[in-house]
Amino acid sequence: MINNYDDRPIAPLFSIITVTYNAADTLPRTLASVKAQSCHLYEHLIIDGSSSDATLQLAKDAGIQQMKIHSGKDNGIYDAMNKGLGMAQGEYVIFLNAGDAFHSSDTLQEVADAIMDNDFPGIVYGQTDIVDINGIRLGDRHLHAPSELTLDSFRDGMVVCHQAFIVLRRITAPYNLKYRYSADYDWCIRCLQHSRRNVYIDDVLIDYLNEGTTTRNHRRSLRERFRIMCYYYGTFSTIKKHLSFIPRYLRRRKNAVNNQ
């Protein structure tokens, strides 16, 4: 295990960016998971949308020395993420939303070791567990991160959870704000276009909060993703790919009914 990075610049290895708005119910788990990390080579940026509840006080009271807090009005989650990118000083960025958590106290160290062992790749990624608001595991994410990640991998959708997709900051660009629900999907594809090497960690990195997105927003997100797929991969190819998604969709519906 590598614990010493004295030959690297003074800037932190990681910028952990957490976007919040009235997140007092979900933020404590996120703060606790960051504070518990055995690797301390990070800054933690709280990008808050002028919360009116106890969110900001919880962040201030967390006792995370490497934390920076910015609070102000924004134009939605992706605008807030862009603010985080603009503030970030770390070599890699990690987006860890309120309610999400690192899977274990050694997760950052595991990622740091993978970075050093592979001479600073463009992207490091891994698996994700779905959890409830109490952090209890509900199951696997419906898409499993592949052991080899390429630009073409995202033809199949968001195959890597955004939170488990850790990117070298200098190859990132701002989120495209014309997408209200799927700008993260577009952003990941653009990061892949600029990444020379992607390193897979065969482990769960993130516990992702199952937020119960409304059907209306879910459908809007899917329509945006379809447009993004057409842009990057072509309309005919995208339609053909979506026909192959039908059995997967039917299986998910059947499982959802059986679990009710």
Side-chain angles (χ1 to χ4, degrees):
M1 178 181 291
I2 299 171
N3 291 299
N4 207 331
Y5 302 90
D6 292 339
D7 59 334
R8 301 304 305 171
I10 295 174
L13 185 60
F14 302 106
S15 289
I16 303 166
I17 301 171
T18 299
V19 170
T20 61
Y21 178 69
N22 289 343
D25 290 340
T26 55
L27 185 59
R29 283 192 63 252
T30 305
L31 296 173
S33 82
V34 172
K35 189 175 182 179
Q37 291 305 299
S38 58
C39 173
H40 298 139
L41 301 174
Y42 67 84
E43 62 176 359
H44 190 192
L45 307 180
I46 303 293
I47 311 298
D48 182 73
S50 293
S51 290
S52 57
D53 66 358
T55 296
L56 291 174
Q57 194 60 52
L58 286 168
K60 293 173 184 176
D61 292 344
I64 299 173
Q65 294 182 351
Q66 306 96 314
M67 180 183 288
K68 300 174 186 176
I69 300 173
H70 170 85
S71 185
K73 295 291 185 180
D74 57 54
N75 292 316
I77 186 170
Y78 297 120
D79 182 44
M81 288 178 173
N82 281 343
K83 290 181 180 180
L85 280 175
M87 291 175 58
Q89 298 295 313
E91 294 201 51
Y92 286 81
V93 292
I94 302 172
F95 286 93
L96 194 68
N97 289 337
D100 302 329
F102 291 115
H103 186 66
S104 79
S105 61
D106 292 326
T107 295
L108 266 191
Q109 184 64 59
E110 191 173 7
V111 177
D113 289 341
I115 288 169
M116 296 301 290
D117 290 346
N118 291 278
D119 194 24
F120 286 70
I123 294 167
V124 179
Y125 68 102
Q127 302 297 341
T128 305
D129 275 352
I130 306 299
V131 301
D132 65 15
I133 197 168
N134 297 311
I136 297 173
R137 186 179 187 275
L138 298 176
D140 296 333
R141 188 169 177 267
H142 75 279
L143 290 178
H144 196 77
S147 58
E148 293 186 11
L149 185 68
T150 68
L151 180 61
D152 276 353
S153 299
F154 271 61
R155 287 179 183 270
D156 291 325
M158 195 81 167
V159 293
V160 181
C161 181
H162 187 210
Q163 285 80 344
F165 190 86
I166 299 156
V167 187
L168 189 65
R169 182 168 58 89
R170 62 180 173 82
I171 70 169
T172 67
Y175 290 83
N176 189 335
L177 299 186
K178 78 176 182 181
Y179 300 119
R180 293 188 60 192
Y181 306 103
S182 295
D184 51 348
Y185 178 61
D186 171 79
W187 185 82
C188 288
I189 292 174
R190 285 187 287 129
C191 289
L192 281 165
Q193 286 180 320
H194 293 93
S195 176
R196 294 183 178 180
R197 194 154 40 88
N198 310 313
V199 172
Y200 173 59
I201 296 177
D202 188 14
D203 200 358
V204 175
L205 302 182
I206 298 296
D207 292 340
Y208 176 81
L209 176 63
N210 179 33
E211 298 175 287
T213 305
T214 63
T215 300
R216 182 180 62 182
N217 285 350
H218 181 61
R219 288 176 178 173
R220 288 176 178 177
S221 175
L222 290 178
R223 284 199 293 269
E224 280 193 353
R225 288 191 187 187
F226 182 83
R227 288 167 50 202
I228 294 166
M229 281 181 162
C230 289
Y231 178 80
Y232 288 106
Y233 302 117
T235 301
F236 176 76
S237 175
T238 298
I239 292 172
K240 183 178 179 182
K241 176 63 71 172
H242 272 68
L243 291 175
S244 73
F245 290 163
I246 292 175
R248 185 175 78 187
Y249 169 75
L250 293 176
R251 286 195 301 271
R252 289 181 64 194
R253 286 199 62 180
K254 181 179 179 181
N255 290 336
V257 170
N258 291 338
N259 291 330
Q260 287 180 350

